[in-house]
Amino acid sequence: MKKIISIIFALASFSSMLVAQNKTSSEIKGDAFYFVYNFDKAIDKYESTVLTEDGIRKYAASLQKMNRFPEAETEYAVLVKLSNGNTPEDYFKYASVLKSNGKDNDYMAWMDQFSTLRPTDLRVISYQKNKSNFNALKIDKESQSVALLEFNTVDQDFGTAFMNDKIVFASSRAKPSFIKRTDNWTGLPFLNLYQSSVQESQLSKPEKFDKTMKSIQNDGPASFSKKGTFMAYTRNHVKDKSDDKIVELQIQFSTLTNNKWSKPVSFEFNNAGYSVGHPCLSEDGKTMYFTSDMPGGFGGADLYKTTQFESGFWSKPMNLGNQINTESNEMFPFYDEQAKILYFASDGHMGIGGLDLFYFNNGEVINLGSPVNSRQDDFALIMNSNSQKGYFSSNRVTGIGSDDIYSVQFTDKILKEIRIEGVAKTKDIKQLSDVVVTLLDEKGSLVQSTDTKSDGKFSFKVLADKKFTLKGNKSGYLEGVNTAQTFGQDSIVISDLLLSINPKNPVDIEIIEVNADLGKISKLKPIYFDYDMYNIREDAALELDKIVVKMNKYPTMEVSLKSYTDCRGSADYNQGLSDKRATSSAEYIQARISNPSRITGKGYGESNSLNDCKCEENVISDCPKEEHQQNRRTEFIVIKK
């Protein structure tokens, strides 16, 4: 992985050990180059001599860092077979290289051996939990559309950030100059910050972000508050005078005043003894996530969080814990405040390549899978939760340069919230009110609880693609139990809780199995309308035709629709307009399916806005037209297969 911002974070911690022979002068020189990340020169020295076991380890690691995986595999194979030379970490590194080389069965075999040696290792826990899903992760998801951006160069381009209507990123692209400074690891020019405008599916030709902020080494990547007037960015600690002679990373802050960025201010937890970098600022600029290999972590690089006091000082960094961090590297955090999801890259959690992209929500780390993830390093994902579009970086072999920037469009929301609806009743179908219904997750932990209404009905909002247990209790009745499996976005799972009055009879447990096909057919895309109109546009007709095909394929399938407007106009007018949109949407489908009564719906006016485009009395939202468009829609929900 050739990423200057991760040079500290990517270094493995190797165990000291007895060696079978003394180091030659060439190996000692190789170690010196290895120490300063000049892996090409280190490899040259290592290849010119007979190595000690420690030398083989550094040689293999150098090859791995230079993405020479087949050669690295050969050296690790030698290392793990040495009778006196291997450590558990050698097994993990060997397994990782085997995975990058596409030797999945061998990868899992060596990870199984690593697991026996380190059963409590956080990487082992992640592997054991997710290895049954390994093959599924490698299959491209239809919900992800990935595209290589045309502005990439043969140099490094990575680490995007949103700044108002711009995208800011780090790049080693540079014009020829008389004095040429290059990075030891990559041999490329040092990093600068660049900015581009969004142009449909591409980004415009980049220009330098701010020439006054350039240091003599690397600058970038960066992060910005929502207004784009406060930034945090990564920079080499060029004044580092520590004994280790390693130039660590640090975070700098700058504020935009009168169209000029202020002189950088150093983050108070920068330290010559360790690195801090990869900052991610909250929308208000008062919270920052970042990466560091500071003492006290779980190993490698960990993710941390800090908040700013009114005084301007930052709180002591808080490690995000062992649900997220592992003994390897967790890097490039991005927190989506709208969806409340933390995205990050890791080579410690089980993935399909080197660094994989993950998200963390509700105590669970989830791999985003392919095609966002590949056999190589995939990192630095940023997301717009409203448009479900983002950008990430990768050194995959299909790119142009060392690291490249890709766009990604998700057709489904990363987190899909759906409803479980049900009714509590006795065996003779009598519906019961005031039943306490509790919802438990797969581990048996309480998620939510509610009371049934007079008609015995209840409902919960839950995440999709999960399993739940429902329990109903009422005085004088035996407990009723049911299970529910949620599938695709907007599907509704109907669950009956059967309670028995007769205590001599066992509880009648009815398992309502939701067919997996429901999850597949329930992914019905919304359609959109022009401002103040309710006619079916050509693009909307294409989506409605897909629904027609599905409803004719499933003759018992029932669909409910909901229509909305944007906030402009009076509430009464918008209610009427949404009713007309619901009618036109339903009538289009009803005219083309058997048993037209299978689709019903209504309008909901300007409610349930998908963004912050809300109008207050006579004040009209100044949102761009694209965001108003998101709210002028009809949504479709499968209620029965």
Side-chain angles (χ1 to χ4, degrees):
M1 177 181 62
K2 300 180 181 179
K3 282 181 276 303
I4 188 66
I5 39 69
S6 62
I7 56 180
I8 303 299
F9 304 143
L11 288 176
S13 57
F14 300 115
S15 301
S16 62
M17 51 180 290
L18 295 174
V19 296
Q21 63 187 50
N22 295 326
K23 288 177 179 283
T24 64
S25 60
S26 291
E27 182 176 335
I28 292 172
K29 290 178 181 178
D31 291 349
F33 286 126
Y34 179 92
F35 186 72
V36 294
Y37 318 121
N38 198 330
F39 298 115
D40 266 338
K41 289 186 178 180
I43 290 170
D44 289 340
K45 293 299 180 182
Y46 290 143
E47 289 178 342
S48 69
T49 187
V50 177
L51 298 172
T52 64
E53 292 161 350
D54 181 62
I56 295 173
R57 182 173 289 108
K58 288 187 172 70
Y59 178 33
S62 298
L63 292 166
Q64 185 178 9
K65 293 174 192 301
M66 296 303 294
N67 296 335
R68 293 166 61 174
F69 295 114
E71 297 163 272
E73 178 187 329
T74 299
E75 298 307 316
Y76 276 120
V78 172
L79 188 62
V80 298
K81 292 177 182 177
L82 290 175
S83 60
N84 199 26
N86 56 65
T87 68
E89 198 67 24
D90 294 334
Y91 284 69
F92 180 79
K93 293 292 184 183
Y94 185 37
S96 299
V97 169
L98 287 166
K99 180 174 58 175
S100 294
N101 288 336
K103 299 181 178 180
D104 294 338
N105 290 336
D106 291 336
Y107 154 69
M108 299 188 80
W110 282 97
M111 277 301 296
D112 287 339
Q113 291 192 54
F114 178 63
S115 299
T116 61
L117 294 172
R118 291 245 186 105
T120 61
D121 192 293
L122 297 169
R123 296 167 295 183
V124 169
I125 293 171
S126 175
Y127 168 73
Q128 295 292 349
K129 180 180 179 181
N130 297 291
K131 68 177 183 178
S132 62
N133 195 41
F134 180 64
N135 289 329
L137 290 175
K138 295 183 292 181
I139 301 172
D140 283 1
K141 294 183 178 179
E142 295 180 359
S143 59
Q144 299 176 8
S145 178
V146 169
L148 176 67
L149 297 183
E150 296 172 356
F151 78 165
N152 285 296
T153 66
V154 295
D155 296 309
Q156 288 178 290
D157 303 291
F158 68 95
T160 49
F162 295 117
M163 188 193 73
N164 296 329
D165 59 345
K166 304 282 188 181
I167 297 294
V168 177
F169 64 98
S171 177
S172 61
R173 63 181 74 192
K175 294 181 180 180
S177 61
F178 182 73
I179 300 176
K180 184 179 180 182
R181 295 188 177 94
T182 59
D183 169 68
N184 281 350
W185 187 332
T186 66
L188 298 172
F190 287 116
L191 298 170
N192 285 312
L193 288 173
Y194 290 80
Q195 63 182 15
S196 293
S197 299
V198 179
Q199 296 181 342
E200 296 181 355
S201 61
Q202 293 291 329
L203 296 178
S204 66
K205 182 179 179 180
E207 58 185 25
K208 280 280 185 70
F209 173 70
D210 190 290
K211 294 181 180 179
T212 65
M213 300 181 65
K214 174 59 183 165
S215 69
I216 63 173
Q217 292 192 22
N218 293 292
D219 294 280
S223 179
F224 300 83
S225 62
K226 185 175 183 180
K227 294 181 179 179
T229 57
F230 181 62
M231 70 176 293
Y233 66 100
T234 306
R235 168 178 282 186
N236 280 127
H237 202 317
V238 294
K239 295 183 179 180
D240 182 0
K241 303 296 183 182
S242 59
D243 293 337
D244 64 9
K245 308 299 182 185
I246 297 175
V247 179
E248 273 83 13
L249 306 179
Q250 59 176 271
I251 292 175
Q252 298 285 323
F253 302 112
S254 184
T255 302
L256 185 66
T257 306
N258 297 325
N259 293 320
K260 290 185 178 180
W261 288 100
S262 66
K263 182 180 179 180
V265 176
S266 181
F267 179 40
E268 61 201 80
F269 290 98
N270 289 336
N271 192 295
Y274 53 80
S275 287
V276 294
H278 309 169
C280 171
L281 289 172
S282 60
E283 293 183 356
D284 63 6
K286 301 297 184 183
T287 300
M288 182 173 69
Y289 298 85
F290 66 94
T291 309
S292 179
D293 61 346
M294 67 175 63
F298 292 92
D302 283 2
L303 298 184
Y304 290 83
K305 177 182 178 181
T306 180
T307 55
Q308 191 178 41
F309 301 121
E310 291 185 6
S311 63
F313 292 104
W314 292 87
S315 66
K316 181 180 178 181
M318 179 186 72
N319 189 294
L320 295 188
N322 62 4
Q323 288 184 304
I324 293 175
N325 294 312
T326 70
E327 291 83 355
S328 288
N329 302 295
E330 282 66 50
M331 302 187 288
F332 297 98
F334 177 79
Y335 186 69
D336 185 336
E337 290 188 52
Q338 303 300 318
K340 293 181 173 54
I341 302 174
L342 177 68
Y343 298 95
F344 64 96
S346 172
D347 59 5
H349 290 282
M350 199 209 75
I352 60 178
L355 285 172
D356 267 28
L357 284 162
F358 299 83
Y359 69 89
F360 178 77
N361 184 268
N362 286 341
E364 189 171 4
V365 170
I366 300 173
N367 190 303
L368 283 169
S370 180
V372 165
N373 287 320
S374 67
R375 290 287 186 186
Q376 284 74 44
D377 293 322
D378 306 289
F379 56 100
L381 174 69
I382 62 173
M383 279 289 297
N384 182 321
S385 58
N386 290 329
S387 65
Q388 287 295 291
K389 182 176 182 179
Y391 300 91
F392 70 98
S393 307
S394 178
N395 67 349
R396 60 187 62 185
V397 295
T398 56
I400 296 173
S402 173
D403 294 319
D404 295 305
I405 296 172
Y406 293 75
S407 66
V408 57
Q409 179 70 60
F410 292 90
T411 56
D412 290 339
K413 289 186 177 181
I414 298 298
L415 283 181
K416 297 167 287 187
E417 216 177 38
I418 65 173
R419 283 181 298 148
I420 290 180
E421 291 188 342
V423 60
K425 58 188 181 182
T426 61
K427 196 170 183 179
D428 60 359
I429 316 302
K430 177 185 177 183
Q431 295 178 340
L432 298 173
S433 62
D434 299 321
V435 174
V436 178
V437 182
T438 56
L439 183 72
L440 309 175
D441 63 18
E442 288 184 88
K443 297 179 181 179
S445 300
L446 175 66
V447 178
Q448 301 175 53
S449 66
T450 189
D451 294 341
T452 57
K453 300 177 181 179
S454 58
D455 57 3
K457 293 183 179 179
F458 63 89
S459 67
F460 295 103
K461 267 193 171 183
V462 297
L463 295 179
D465 302 313
K466 294 195 175 293
K467 295 179 181 179
F468 298 94
T469 298
L470 298 126
K471 293 185 177 182
N473 287 277
K474 182 179 173 69
S475 178
Y477 294 80
L478 292 182
E479 182 178 68
V481 182
N482 201 343
T483 60
Q485 166 76 59
T486 60
F487 291 99
Q489 184 179 5
D490 290 332
S491 60
I492 298 177
V493 180
I494 305 297
S495 299
D496 293 339
L497 286 170
L498 300 180
L499 289 79
S500 174
I501 295 178
N502 188 346
K504 294 181 180 180
N505 295 330
V507 178
D508 190 346
I509 302 175
E510 181 180 358
I511 305 297
I512 306 297
E513 180 180 353
V514 181
N515 193 302
D517 285 344
L518 178 59
K520 296 178 181 178
I521 66 176
S522 65
K523 296 179 180 179
L524 308 180
K525 294 182 179 180
I527 63 171
Y528 299 92
F529 297 86
D530 292 329
Y531 176 65
D532 201 27
M533 303 294 288
Y534 58 90
N535 61 294
I536 303 299
R537 303 188 322 203
E538 289 186 9
D539 61 331
L542 293 175
E543 294 301 325
L544 293 177
D545 288 339
K546 295 176 184 178
I547 297 175
V548 168
V549 170
K550 289 184 177 180
M551 294 193 74
N552 284 329
K553 180 179 179 180
Y554 300 94
T556 61
M557 177 180 174
E558 295 180 7
V559 173
S560 174
L561 62 84
K562 299 179 179 181
S563 294
Y564 302 91
T565 70
D566 62 37
C567 69
R568 293 172 292 183
S570 69
D572 289 341
Y573 180 84
N574 285 336
Q575 180 60 53
L577 179 59
S578 67
D579 286 335
K580 292 177 181 178
R581 288 175 177 171
T583 299
S584 63
S585 302
E587 287 180 347
Y588 184 97
I589 296 175
Q590 288 169 341
R592 293 164 173 80
I593 63 173
S594 61
N595 190 5
S597 63
R598 290 187 292 135
I599 182 164
T600 58
K602 59 180 293 187
Y604 291 85
E606 60 191 63
S607 66
N608 199 22
S609 173
L610 296 179
N611 46 45
D612 293 328
C613 298
K614 298 178 181 179
C615 307
E616 299 293 338
E617 297 181 353
N618 295 326
V619 179
I620 298 177
S621 171
D622 60 352
C623 283
K625 61 182 181 180
E626 293 81 8
E627 294 188 21
H628 281 303
Q629 173 68 97
Q630 294 175 17
N631 293 323
R632 300 194 303 269
R633 68 196 190 279
T634 293
E635 299 175 341
F636 302 88
I637 304 169
V638 176
I639 59 176
K640 181 180 178 182
K641 177 180 177 294

